[in-house]
Amino acid sequence: METKTLDAGAIRTSKDAAPTTGGVSKQKARMSRLMVSPSVLLLLLWMVVPLSMTIYFSLIRYNLLYPGENEFVGLENFHFFVTDLGFMAGMTNTLLLVGSVLLITVVFGVLISLLVNLAFWGQGIVRVLLISPFFIMPTVNALVWKNLLLHPVSGVFAAIWQFFGAQPIDWFSEFPLFSIIMIVSWQWLPFAILLLMTALQSLDQEQQEAARLDGAGPWALFWHLTLPHLARPIAVVVMIETIFLLSLFAEIFTTTGGGPGYETTNLAYLIYSQALLQFDVGLASAGGLIAVILANIAAFFLVRVVGKSLTEKQ
Amino acid sequence: MADLTIKNLKKSFGDLEILKGINLNIKDHEFVVFVGPSGCGKSTLLRSIAGLEEVTSGHIYLDDREITELAPAKRDLAMVFQSYALYPHMSVRKNMSFALELAKESKETINSKVAEAARILELEPLLDRKPKELSGGQRQRVAIGRSIVRQPKVFLFDEPLSNLDAALRVQMRLELARLHHDLKATMIYVTHDQVEAMTLANKVVVLNQGQIEQVGSPMELYHSPANRFVAGFLGMPKMSFLPATVVSSDHQGTRIQLADGATLALPVNGATLHKNSQVTLGVRPENIHVSDPSESDFTGRLDIAENLGSDTYCYVKTSSNETLTVRTPGNFTCNFGQQIGLSLELDQCHLFDDQDQALPRLERIAA
Ligand SMILES: Nc1ncnc2c1ncn2[C@@H]1O[C@H](COP(=O)(O)OP(=O)(O)O)[C@@H](O)[C@H]1O
Ligand SMILES: [Mg+2]
């Protein structure tokens, strides 16, 4: 309604005196700024309040076990967090986890979506089955793997090992990080498949035919046409998965609890254990801020490397 | 040398037979155009020649070599697609050198061949661009360049100009004709546009529902169509058809009666016709003239006139309610609904029997 009246006004003024149109469009811009301001303000509050509180907490002593002793301690919390034994482990594990899951989901995602893209009987059902793990809640997923698949006594894997006469493996104590990577990859592979499969369907058929006439075999077709075509969806997969995997928590919490030792503790889990297991809110806030900074560094590089291929026109 | 021979080629998709036995001979250096209405199987035939479709039965020979079962890349053919099908992630140069690189040719050979193709097609300033940075006409040229570098025996084009605007289409048409002349190549060209067919071809192949209706030079097809389909397909505006019955006929001529009662004596060999059998008279717009109603073959009522400047096409309803298209000079003026007289150039008319096959004209036999 508002804009309509303004439009009518614009027409009238431009008829009377042409130069005033600039003023009208400025007025319009002010109007639209006014209209979006509530949501911008809300978003700002949403972000600024928790952030400033976290910064404040990170600079004071704030342990729930010792109430009342909230004096300013400067960067001591940061110092503690960074020099904590768990910090290096948490960093390495975070990177290992994110890196391996990305690698597994992208490589297998490409291979599986190529396979599923071939025409075969029952294609629809297979596709749905492939996508379905994505709809399972992370906690449920972790519990299923922990109790039904990887359990050293009653798990499916143990049964298979026993069938071949081998000693069943206690996955979470012998290969804890690998087990987590396996679980998380299983959870995220469908996401990669979904995106890549959709992208494959838009692969131009005539380009493939032209390449076949040019003498390209299956490998050359994949390397020169399919893979470049998938660059963009792969970038999306990497970007989104990185964002979610950096803060991976539920799967670790449900299965290993960060152990044994610090072997499966990532940054998110470290912050949790500082805050709620040791009741040190100040330390946890400092950790949280460090995590935010690290995530921003990661995001910066992602946007530089990955985002470039996204914004490029195709 | 590049002689392409197609013997009894059939192609079905499932139960549906798309190509119903194609026999065709294409000679070296010929520019052959496949024309036909949409869906008649032109692309399927071209793709079968290229090896992109497996044929159901029949044989294709290139020179003395049978290529029916050969992989597309081994056939010595190059194809230009309607969508151009350029590789979007490669530069123009890479698009053109791709086939040569796959064939493991030396760097110098590749560079010189690409440079030569770029020179012919005036693509030199564009070599480092990506396809998305090119205009439609430039993309078209790159697609042609991609096939030129391979120096194939036969070039295949599938409606290469249909994505271009009208002005560019005319220009590219001329360039293709020049290219054919310069490269001395054998070209097979698919189109549904009869202007392209008439202007480019040495030999036109008219296809209809998976069968060849007629093969010949553009003028042969225009002046002596073998049947009613070819007669109606070629020519703009279309030939007009009038149903008629035979009054008398022999090998000296045929006398027919039109639905509105007029009788005409045509110099057409009617030896195969019987009295009272149904025939169709075909007349092109340029073979009908407006004349004084009192001394004309028959009369009609003017329906619509389209003035194109150089010509005016009049659509005339006869008294038995058939529509005739008449070409008149550009300065012809006439009012809607006016009665006009029409005369036919009888020696230019076509007569089709009840099977829609053309009857031989007499002067051709005499000549
Ligand atoms: N891959 C295919 N599967 C099934 N039918 C097809 C296929 N390709 C073409 N056809 C059918 O074959 C017929 C001829 O197609 P086409 O050769 O492309 O015609 P056009 O003469 O317009 O180029 C059409 O009816 C089309 O539907
Ligand atoms: Mg086609």
Side-chain angles (χ1 to χ4, degrees):
Chain A
M1 286 310 283
E2 218 48 57
T3 34
K4 233 178 211 166
T5 10
L6 275 174
D7 271 343
I11 292 163
R12 224 178 296 124
T13 40
S14 63
K15 213 190 258 173
D16 299 339
T20 51
T21 24
V24 171
S25 71
K26 220 182 265 172
Q27 196 181 338
K28 228 177 185 175
R30 206 180 310 135
M31 193 69 196
S32 44
R33 227 174 293 147
L34 212 69
M35 305 275 262
V36 294
S37 54
S39 47
V40 171
L41 276 178
L42 196 69
L43 275 174
L44 215 63
L45 273 176
W46 206 271
M47 214 183 74
V48 166
V49 171
L51 184 68
S52 41
M53 277 175 73
T54 314
I55 292 176
Y56 170 66
F57 289 154
S58 73
L59 297 175
I60 59 170
R61 184 193 307 281
Y62 186 4
N63 192 314
L64 299 177
L65 294 179
Y66 309 100
E69 296 177 29
N70 292 347
E71 76 270 23
F72 181 77
V73 293
L75 296 178
E76 201 175 279
N77 281 324
F78 290 91
H79 184 248
F80 265 116
F81 190 84
V82 172
T83 50
D84 187 285
L85 257 186
F87 180 69
M88 272 325 284
M91 284 282 284
T92 340
N93 287 337
T94 306
L95 290 180
L96 272 177
L97 210 73
V98 173
S100 339
V101 173
L102 279 180
L103 194 72
I104 293 173
T105 50
V106 168
V107 170
F108 283 92
V110 169
L111 293 180
I112 293 176
S113 47
L114 279 176
L115 275 181
V116 179
N117 201 40
L118 304 173
F120 60 90
W121 190 85
Q123 201 176 27
I125 289 178
V126 170
R127 284 185 184 180
V128 172
L129 286 178
L130 276 172
I131 306 303
S132 53
F134 197 52
F135 300 111
I136 297 173
M137 277 184 275
T139 22
V140 176
N141 166 27
L143 282 174
V144 166
W145 275 84
K146 185 181 182 182
N147 296 328
L148 296 180
L149 295 171
L150 297 181
H151 196 280
V153 178
S154 55
V156 172
F157 280 38
I160 295 172
W161 257 247
Q162 259 162 355
F163 180 80
F164 288 107
Q167 180 69 32
I169 298 171
D170 186 0
W171 290 91
F172 287 113
S173 54
E174 287 176 54
F175 307 103
L177 190 61
F178 178 75
S179 308
I180 303 266
I181 290 174
M182 203 153 59
I183 296 174
V184 177
S185 299
W186 186 80
Q187 173 99 36
W188 280 94
L189 191 55
F191 175 71
I193 294 177
L194 182 69
L195 256 67
L196 297 173
M197 206 163 67
T198 327
L200 276 181
Q201 279 163 5
S202 68
L203 192 58
D204 188 279
Q205 224 42 53
E206 287 200 339
Q207 281 170 24
Q208 306 260 321
E209 290 176 344
R212 270 172 64 202
L213 277 168
D214 273 350
W219 173 250
L221 280 180
F222 174 73
W223 188 251
H224 292 289
L225 287 180
T226 314
L227 209 53
H229 179 75
L230 290 181
R232 190 184 284 237
I234 287 177
V236 174
V237 168
V238 168
M239 198 122 131
I240 292 181
E241 284 195 10
T242 309
I243 292 167
F244 280 89
L245 293 177
L246 275 176
S247 57
L248 193 77
F249 179 78
E251 287 85 345
I252 297 174
F253 181 77
T254 334
T255 54
T256 60
Y262 282 119
E263 276 187 50
T264 54
T265 300
N266 67 352
L267 278 183
Y269 197 83
L270 189 67
I271 293 163
Y272 157 78
S273 63
Q274 300 284 4
L276 285 170
L277 299 184
Q278 299 169 26
F279 299 103
D280 195 333
V281 177
L283 196 57
S285 300
L289 284 175
I290 289 176
V292 167
I293 292 167
L294 288 178
N296 271 301
I297 293 175
F300 178 75
F301 282 112
L302 274 178
V303 170
R304 284 292 287 281
V305 179
V306 175
K308 221 173 91 189
S309 82
L310 287 181
T311 46
E312 233 172 57
K313 274 187 295 173
Q314 202 150 40
Chain B
M1 278 295 286
D3 283 333
L4 192 78
T5 310
I6 299 172
K7 286 208 176 122
N8 203 21
L9 188 77
K10 291 186 182 168
K11 168 75 192 169
S12 309
F13 288 113
D15 293 338
L16 198 65
E17 193 168 49
I18 302 296
L19 298 179
K20 301 165 184 162
I22 302 284
N23 288 293
L24 189 61
N25 205 337
I26 293 168
K27 292 197 203 65
D28 201 19
H29 298 346
E30 259 183 337
F31 199 124
V32 178
V33 175
F34 296 168
V35 277
S38 244
C40 69
K42 307 180 295 287
S43 298
T44 308
L45 177 54
L46 197 74
R47 292 165 55 83
S48 304
I49 296 173
L52 295 172
E53 301 283 359
E54 262 179 58
V55 304
T56 310
S57 67
H59 304 275
I60 307 171
Y61 302 90
L62 185 56
D63 298 331
D64 299 322
R65 189 167 65 127
E66 171 151 20
I67 58 169
T68 322
E69 304 287 330
L70 223 53
K74 302 227 165 77
R75 294 190 177 199
D76 247 342
L77 310 165
M79 182 154 168
V80 175
F81 292 83
Q82 183 174 2
S83 68
Y84 317 138
L86 299 180
Y87 312 129
H89 311 280
M90 301 181 195
S91 64
V92 169
R93 185 192 308 279
K94 188 87 203 307
N95 260 285
M96 294 207 280
S97 63
F98 187 59
L100 304 176
E101 277 164 21
L102 287 173
K104 303 237 170 7
E105 300 221 20
S106 74
K107 266 248 151 41
E108 300 84 68
T109 326
I110 293 178
N111 285 342
S112 72
K113 282 184 179 171
V114 170
E116 172 67 6
R119 189 189 58 76
I120 296 174
L121 296 164
E122 292 160 21
L123 284 171
E124 280 133 334
L126 309 175
L127 278 178
D128 293 311
R129 295 216 198 150
K130 290 272 175 68
K132 66 187 169 209
E133 297 162 329
L134 302 177
S135 70
Q138 290 168 336
R139 285 179 204 191
Q140 180 63 69
R141 261 198 276 265
V142 177
I144 295 172
R146 198 167 62 181
S147 43
I148 288 181
V149 291
R150 292 179 50 203
Q151 297 172 336
K153 285 189 169 171
V154 183
F155 287 88
L156 308 174
F157 295 91
D158 192 354
E159 307 211 13
L161 306 187
S162 56
N163 285 346
L164 303 178
D165 63 57
L168 206 50
R169 209 177 305 166
V170 174
Q171 185 195 335
M172 284 305 293
R173 207 167 69 206
L174 297 175
E175 281 190 35
L176 277 174
R178 179 176 61 88
L179 205 64
H180 174 244
H181 178 262
D182 291 352
L183 296 175
K184 300 194 172 38
T186 310
M187 293 187 169
I188 306 179
Y189 186 103
V190 163
T191 181
H192 63 259
D193 182 319
Q194 53 163 300
V195 179
E196 281 172 27
M198 301 295 272
T199 51
L200 287 171
N202 308 129
K203 187 188 219 168
V204 179
V205 177
V206 182
L207 286 166
N208 185 27
Q209 297 182 357
Q211 272 167 330
I212 293 183
E213 295 280 353
Q214 195 175 359
V215 180
S217 75
M219 285 308 111
E220 258 170 54
L221 297 197
Y222 189 79
H223 292 297
S224 340
N227 53 45
R228 192 174 153 177
F229 177 82
V230 177
F233 189 77
L234 296 178
M236 271 304 268
K238 276 174 67 162
M239 184 185 276
S240 311
F241 295 104
L242 298 172
T245 45
V246 177
V247 178
S248 66
S249 68
D250 57 26
H251 62 274
Q252 302 284 4
T254 308
R255 176 169 286 275
I256 57 169
Q257 182 170 40
L258 298 177
D260 70 347
T263 58
L264 301 169
L266 297 174
V268 162
N269 184 344
T272 55
L273 295 175
H274 306 288
K275 190 168 158 45
N276 288 334
S277 66
Q278 293 295 314
V279 288
T280 310
L281 176 72
V283 205
R284 294 205 184 273
E286 63 265 34
N287 301 131
I288 311 179
H289 302 285
V290 176
S291 53
D292 192 346
S294 61
E295 52 192 59
S296 43
D297 293 326
F298 51 97
T299 61
R301 185 172 52 80
L302 185 76
D303 205 6
I304 299 167
E306 289 178 336
N307 198 328
L308 302 181
S310 58
D311 298 304
T312 302
Y313 288 105
C314 299
Y315 298 90
V316 180
K317 279 254 189 303
T318 63
S319 52
S320 50
N321 219 20
E322 288 123 8
T323 306
L324 278 176
T325 313
V326 182
R327 190 175 83 181
T328 57
N331 57 11
F332 179 79
T333 49
C334 192
N335 295 325
F336 175 82
Q338 188 180 335
Q339 283 290 330
I340 52 178
L342 298 169
S343 326
L344 307 179
E345 286 177 38
L346 291 179
D347 55 347
Q348 296 296 327
C349 289
H350 304 267
L351 197 61
F352 304 97
D353 64 17
D354 51 1
Q355 305 296 316
D356 284 337
Q357 297 303 310
L359 295 163
R361 285 217 292 256
L362 284 177
E363 81 278 290
R364 263 183 63 224
I365 292 169

